[in-house]
Amino acid sequence: MDKILSGIKPTGKLTLGNYIGAIKNFSKIQYEGETFLFIADLHALTLPIDPVELSNNSRDICAYYLAAGLDPKHTTIFLQSTVCEHSEMAIILQNYLYMGELSRMTQFKDKSQKMDQNAIGLGLFAYPVLMAGDIVLYDAKRVPVGEDQGQHVEITRDLVKRFNHRYGDVLVMPKAEMVKVGARIMSLSDPTKKMSKSDPKGDIFLSDDLAVMRKKIMSAVTDTGHEVKYDVENKPGISNLMTIYGALKNKSFDEIEKEFEGKGYGDFKRAVADAVVEEMEPFKARYNEVIASGLVDQVLQEGAIRAKAVASKTLERVKRAVGLYNINK
Ligand code: TYM
């Protein structure tokens, strides 16, 4: 059975983009393999974050995983920082990715450009090393992610190739896997930019009230014209709403175009808002139940034990391969 692994970083509030591009898909594919899903809390430290916010966000992601139907009996759900092998693996793997490669990562360039150039943390630069460690520790072949994380999985593949070339067949080659519709949900206020946790205006947050979600959709930026037609170049706003609608209703763009033929943007936006509310209402109710049940801590404790059992074996294998002396022979 193939191993499947993914994670979400507990910075900011989760968005509809995270839900469509990642969480909803995780729950669909979890039984296709041995699945590991974690909360990438060490990654969250790569940019300044309030400690209380970090810890609350971490709990929330676990609750959202459970609310989406992830089954903790089957899927190992854990916090990255509770499995110390992640940190140790990163220390070893940092020697197999190069500074030139890391400095070309889009996420690093985007984030570091906005910062004081004298205060860019080493962790932000080395982010893909930690992420590569996350992936290889579980021998994951399948890494379901949204489009923005594709480059980090690609650099992990480069690392695996380089490492295995030097030491033999030690690490499993992973592959990024993206949903067909919704791997890149765009901002509602500027549909040429990605919807991200740090963009309060163009985002739908999973924590928003249903009425707020509806309002945000109804006031989403659309394009000139009135035809509901998928055309990212000329109609980025409508195309983004079609992506959201298609992903939630499981409909193709052709089907959506036919459904709204002769109708205006107003009707279409109302239908998108209905679809979002229909999906989010039960999801948010389950999230509240999970938070009230106290299940989160139990799941994360059990998950840490299961994850560690797998991760420690891989780390041992890597240590032996590179020649770290084994005192337990
Ligand atoms: P993060 O927390 O930024 O995002 C979590 C997941 O949501 C996807 N996503 C989107 N999908 C569609 N449209 C959007 N607008 C959108 N925004 C985000 C992301 O692609 C991602 O799948 N580095 C990772 C966390 C991580 C990880 C890993 C993932 C750490 N180690 C190992 C996979 C494997 C991150 O910050 O994702």
Side-chain angles (χ1 to χ4, degrees), residues 146-191:
E147 211 175 276
D148 61 338
Q149 294 300 320
Q151 197 181 34
H152 289 155
V153 181
E154 270 315 302
I155 203 174
T156 303
R157 289 171 60 83
D158 294 341
L159 181 147
V160 167
K161 203 165 159 210
R162 192 171 293 155
F163 192 96
N164 285 353
H165 183 69
R166 186 140 162 209
Y167 301 107
D169 226 1
V170 180
L171 303 176
V172 170
M173 185 61 82
K175 196 165 188 306
E177 213 174 79
M178 286 162 207
V179 288
K180 281 202 197 79
V181 178
R184 189 176 177 82
I185 299 293
M186 309 307 271
S187 159
L188 297 179
S189 59
D190 178 356

Side-chain angles (χ1 to χ4, degrees), residues 50-316:
D50 175 71
V52 176
E53 195 189 328
L54 171 57
S55 123
N56 287 343
N57 287 348
S58 300
R59 175 208 57 201
D60 282 355
I61 292 180
C62 181
Y64 282 128
Y65 282 159
L66 297 171
L70 283 150
D71 167 8
K73 289 206 172 62
H74 172 79
T75 295
T76 302
I77 299 175
F78 64 101
L79 267 175
Q80 185 185 32
S81 64
T82 58
V83 182
C84 60
E85 283 76 4
H86 287 255
S87 307
E88 213 177 320
M89 187 64 111
I91 292 286
I92 298 177
L93 295 185
Q94 65 186 351
N95 301 298
Y96 307 92
L97 281 179
Y98 304 144
M99 291 170 63
E101 299 172 309
L102 293 169
S103 62
R104 284 193 289 275
M105 291 290 104
T106 306
Q107 187 172 298
F108 173 72
K109 285 197 285 189
D110 285 354
K111 300 221 155 121
S112 61
Q113 258 161 23
K114 297 179 202 137
M115 295 166 73
D116 169 356
Q117 295 303 297
N118 291 313
I120 299 166
L122 180 58
L124 186 66
F125 186 64
Y127 189 105
V129 176
L130 183 60
M131 182 155 160
D134 300 336
I135 296 170
V136 299
L137 269 176
Y138 300 90
D139 292 336
K141 273 199 182 157
R142 297 173 59 184
V143 185
V145 283
E147 211 175 276
D148 61 338
Q149 294 300 320
Q151 197 181 34
H152 289 155
V153 181
E154 270 315 302
I155 203 174
T156 303
R157 289 171 60 83
D158 294 341
L159 181 147
V160 167
K161 203 165 159 210
R162 192 171 293 155
F163 192 96
N164 285 353
H165 183 69
R166 186 140 162 209
Y167 301 107
D169 226 1
V170 180
L171 303 176
V172 170
M173 185 61 82
K175 196 165 188 306
E177 213 174 79
M178 286 162 207
V179 288
K180 281 202 197 79
V181 178
R184 189 176 177 82
I185 299 293
M186 309 307 271
S187 159
L188 297 179
S189 59
D190 178 356
T192 60
K193 287 207 192 103
K194 187 189 73 166
M195 184 183 279
S196 82
K197 294 172 197 144
S198 53
D199 167 28
K201 271 199 269 157
D203 269 358
I204 290 188
F205 296 118
L206 301 184
S207 57
D208 283 342
D209 286 339
L210 296 172
V212 172
M213 293 185 176
R214 185 179 284 282
K215 203 165 154 213
K216 284 183 175 173
I217 301 266
M218 292 311 291
S219 47
V221 167
T222 41
D223 324 281
T224 49
H226 52 268
E227 212 186 342
V228 177
K229 193 168 178 351
Y230 189 78
D231 176 352
V232 179
E233 196 97 323
N234 301 307
K235 288 173 169 273
I238 283 298
S239 302
N240 188 38
L241 290 175
M242 286 177 77
T243 304
I244 294 173
Y245 189 70
L248 295 179
K249 297 292 241 184
N250 213 3
K251 287 187 178 171
S252 70
F253 296 135
D254 273 355
E255 285 170 327
I256 301 171
E257 283 171 8
K258 283 206 189 86
E259 187 179 345
F260 292 94
E261 214 174 280
K263 294 184 187 157
Y265 286 171
D267 283 338
F268 177 53
K269 278 180 162 181
R270 253 186 304 282
V272 179
D274 286 346
V276 169
V277 167
E278 213 173 275
E279 179 97 8
M280 286 294 125
E281 195 168 20
F283 177 66
K284 285 168 72 66
R286 282 196 299 274
Y287 161 84
N288 288 330
E289 278 165 29
V290 172
I291 291 285
S293 72
L295 195 63
V296 165
D297 288 2
Q298 192 192 325
V299 165
L300 292 178
Q301 280 158 14
E302 286 172 15
I305 295 169
R306 272 157 51 192
K308 204 174 169 65
V310 178
S312 59
K313 283 208 187 98
T314 316
L315 181 64
E316 246 346 89

